[in-house]
Amino acid sequence: MRRSLLARLRRDTRAVIGVSVVTLITLAAVLAPLIARHDPLAIDLAAQLTRPGVEHWMGTDIQGRDVWARLVYGARISLAVGVISQSIALVIGVTLGLVAGFYGRWVDELVMRLADVTLAFPTLLLLIAMVAALQPSLPVVFATIGVVGWAGMARLVRGQVLVVRQLEYVQAVRALGALDRRIVLRHVLPNVIAPVVIAATLGVAGAIMAEAALSFLGLGVQPPTPSWGAMIADGRDLSQLRNSPWTSLFPGLAIGASVLGFNLLGDALRDALDPRHVETKMPATEDAAVATPSEEIEASAVPTAARLP
């Protein structure tokens, strides 16, 4: 299964482009001290708004800081926000989704109403309200984006669990007297991992956009820490956009490239993990009949975790 998944991803152009973009951005973030060439916090008013050249590959901003150095260090912030905030959303959303879908009744009602309340507010406005109520900082951004993003993940997991818990092998395990925790962790959770991975990959792109929006408004990462959203905000003056567009152009391209990379990777994973695309191979025998398309579909639809303990 793992080899076939990797083979499908290698044949998918979206996966190749997405992985390449994400890998480049990750390497730039990890190797920032080696490739930055300048201190991202160093102010040089004599070199302010210098055009891109040999000394400053992407020019300098209004305070004379090197745009390339701030860009690669800002990649650390964006990736950290994307990964950590999605980890928080995964822990909360998957846990509540499993509990709501498996037990149902008043537990399901309570969790889903909380999710409805969270989803009723526009995401960006809710983020702004929560961050503004607290002291804007990097940990607050992590927690806020993660907490706001749990509702969609919980609804996704809950919908998958409602289907899986009715399958015969789950009913058989329950009839044998297995504990609920064992059933959930060993038989239900493995069957909802695929959509969760896809949603988390796409969620990283959304978290990067959310952090850039908050930093643009001054509610995200605080100066002088480099952030792509804050870099765009520093260069939003109309005259500066006309005469020195590189101060906003390059961080904007970085945001677009990172979001595009994660979205392409998520789309490729969605198609690769789709059971309708899973190839089922019958063992080769001398008198083995060729499987019909309907038989292949039925074979591919069997849950991977359909095993009794």
Side-chain angles (χ1 to χ4, degrees), residues 32-77:
L34 301 178
I35 63 177
R37 302 179 72 239
H38 294 276
D39 184 355
L41 305 181
I43 297 176
D44 185 6
L45 296 179
Q48 62 180 352
L49 299 180
T50 301
R51 292 182 176 276
V54 177
E55 181 64 21
H56 299 283
W57 292 346
M58 294 184 177
T60 61
D61 61 8
I62 191 64
Q63 300 184 37
R65 297 172 297 189
D66 186 75
V67 173
W68 164 252
R70 293 181 63 80
L71 198 71
V72 294
Y73 273 95
R76 290 183 165 187
I77 301 297

Side-chain angles (χ1 to χ4, degrees), residues 184-224:
V184 170
L185 295 180
R186 291 200 57 182
H187 303 285
V188 176
L189 181 59
N191 286 282
V192 303
I193 286 296
V196 166
V197 171
I198 297 170
T201 304
L202 297 174
V204 172
I208 292 175
M209 286 289 293
E211 184 276 328
L214 291 174
S215 297
F216 181 85
L217 297 174
L219 298 174
V221 180
Q222 297 301 296

Side-chain angles (χ1 to χ4, degrees), residues 168-181:
E168 293 181 357
Y169 77 94
V170 176
Q171 298 297 327
V173 173
R174 174 175 285 182
L176 291 173
L179 297 176
D180 289 348
R181 182 177 62 181

Side-chain angles (χ1 to χ4, degrees), residues 185-306:
L185 295 180
R186 291 200 57 182
H187 303 285
V188 176
L189 181 59
N191 286 282
V192 303
I193 286 296
V196 166
V197 171
I198 297 170
T201 304
L202 297 174
V204 172
I208 292 175
M209 286 289 293
E211 184 276 328
L214 291 174
S215 297
F216 181 85
L217 297 174
L219 298 174
V221 180
Q222 297 301 296
T225 304
S227 170
W228 292 344
M231 292 174 66
I232 296 177
D234 291 339
R236 63 186 171 183
D237 182 73
L238 184 57
S239 61
Q240 188 172 330
L241 286 174
R242 291 177 176 175
N243 301 319
S244 307
W246 58 84
T247 57
S248 296
L249 175 63
F250 290 119
L253 291 176
I255 295 173
S258 60
V259 172
L260 177 63
F262 280 106
N263 282 338
L264 289 176
L265 181 58
D267 289 341
L269 284 173
R270 180 190 58 198
D271 291 345
L273 294 173
D274 190 341
R276 292 174 297 179
H277 293 87
V278 176
E279 299 176 358
T280 304
K281 295 184 179 180
M282 301 297 293
T285 58
E286 294 182 357
D287 19 317
V290 178
T292 62
S294 61
E295 292 173 343
E296 292 183 356
I297 294 175
E298 291 176 0
S300 64
V302 176
T304 58

Side-chain angles (χ1 to χ4, degrees), residues 25-26 29-30 72-88 138-139 141-143 145-146 203-204 207-208 211 221 225-226 228 258 262:
I25 295 175
T26 303
V30 173
V72 294
Y73 273 95
R76 290 183 165 187
I77 301 297
S78 296
L79 291 178
V81 169
V83 173
I84 296 177
S85 63
Q86 277 306 296
S87 299
I88 297 173
L138 195 55
V141 173
F142 290 156
I145 297 178
V204 172
I208 292 175
E211 184 276 328
V221 180
T225 304
W228 292 344
S258 60
F262 280 106

Side-chain angles (χ1 to χ4, degrees), residues 128-146:
I128 293 173
M130 293 180 65
V131 174
L134 303 171
Q135 182 67 30
S137 64
L138 195 55
V140 171
V141 173
F142 290 156
T144 302
I145 297 178

